[in-house]
Amino acid sequence: MTLPAPNPVSMLAGHILRRSGFPAAPSPRPKVSDTAETDAAAEAAKAEAWELVSAAQGGDTSAFGRLYDRYVDVVYRYVLFRLGDRDLAEDVTSETFLRALRRITSVSYQGRDVGAWFVTIARNIILDHVKSSRFRLEVVTDEVAEPNGAPIGNVGVQAVAGPEQQAISRATRAELLRCVAELGEDQRECIVLRFMQGLSVAETAAIMKRNEGAIKALQHRAVRRLAQLLPTGLR
């Protein structure tokens, strides 16, 4: 008997709900050793990124190029989801890294991944754009995913196989993003940063310029609202 491939969007939706205490379909509990290895790998990656920052601050242009390669897709997906315009998202992403290059000597380690710094720059550019022009959010589903085909949110499942399953996955991804788009501006950004970008509470608080308690409360309200919006089959 062949089991159906896991639906990455259903897993992400369930992950969002489980993280905030809402009931969802049970999932296997990761082994302690697996969790420790994942945490160690994340810390190693964060340390390596800050080593690249230090090298770039010393004038190593190739180090900044490696930072660009590492974080350009993260920034682009964030901007694309916020703006819904691919051309504009490309422009904002380029401007983000230009500003980052100009300011590279001003950034210092504060216990969070350097990717949060890039996203903060992108967010400020977006806010300037919103203030200076007519703005309407359009959810773009085709590209709000990992470039290598992994599901949004990097929830750790392999890419689905087969055209039928891929079509279903695209449809459910669109439904999930539609529901996220119906959230209020602050709630939507909190969900995007916390669960689709995978940032910590502290990193999200720094980007949104709020304290961690406010982010936790905002996240709770956002997830409650999302739970109401999501079709039963995605919970």
Side-chain angles (χ1 to χ4, degrees):
M1 176 180 176
T2 302
L3 296 176
N7 185 310
V9 181
S10 295
M11 294 185 68
L12 175 60
H15 169 72
I16 293 174
L17 299 181
R18 284 193 298 274
R19 286 284 295 272
S20 294
F22 287 87
S27 60
R29 183 183 297 274
K31 297 179 181 178
V32 174
S33 59
D34 293 341
T35 302
E37 289 176 3
T38 300
D39 291 344
E43 286 301 314
K46 182 167 69 174
E48 181 183 6
W50 281 104
E51 289 175 2
L52 290 173
V53 169
S54 179
Q57 290 173 334
D60 186 344
T61 56
S62 65
F64 189 85
R66 291 170 64 187
L67 286 169
Y68 175 89
D69 291 339
R70 179 175 294 205
Y71 292 107
V72 64
D73 292 319
V74 171
V75 172
Y76 176 76
R77 289 197 308 275
Y78 170 76
V79 175
L80 180 63
F81 190 91
R82 292 292 307 275
L83 297 180
D85 182 306
R86 292 180 179 84
D87 292 336
L88 183 57
E90 291 175 359
D91 291 343
V92 170
T93 300
S94 296
E95 178 62 23
T96 295
F97 284 95
L98 284 173
R99 290 192 187 184
L101 181 59
R102 297 189 197 106
R103 302 173 185 176
I104 192 66
T105 57
S106 67
V107 64
S108 59
Y109 179 73
Q110 297 179 343
R112 57 194 179 116
D113 188 86
V114 69
W117 180 60
F118 290 117
V119 173
T120 299
I121 295 174
R123 180 177 187 264
N124 290 336
I125 295 173
I126 291 170
L127 291 177
D128 290 341
H129 170 73
V130 172
K131 292 175 182 177
S132 63
S133 66
R134 295 182 61 185
F135 177 76
R136 181 171 64 91
L137 176 70
E138 295 179 2
V139 176
V140 179
T141 62
D142 292 341
E143 298 182 44
V144 187
E146 297 287 350
N148 60 4
I152 53 177
N154 194 23
V155 293
V157 299
Q158 296 180 349
V160 296
E164 297 86 358
Q165 185 61 39
Q166 289 178 10
I168 293 173
S169 179
R170 284 194 296 270
T172 50
R173 180 169 66 241
E175 181 64 19
L176 174 61
L177 294 178
R178 183 193 65 76
C179 292
V180 172
E182 291 187 19
L183 299 174
E185 175 67 19
D186 287 345
Q187 292 182 357
R188 180 170 60 244
E189 182 163 25
C190 182
I191 289 292
V192 170
L193 292 173
R194 287 284 291 120
F195 299 108
M196 293 183 176
Q197 297 295 84
L199 299 184
S200 67
V201 170
E203 290 167 340
T204 301
I207 290 172
M208 297 189 70
K209 298 179 180 177
R210 302 188 180 193
N211 61 48
E212 293 184 26
I215 291 299
K216 290 178 181 178
L218 180 62
Q219 175 182 314
H220 182 71
R221 292 194 299 270
V223 173
R224 286 185 65 88
R225 178 58 180 154
L226 190 58
Q228 296 170 351
L229 294 170
L230 281 171
T232 303
L234 287 184
R235 301 182 185 181

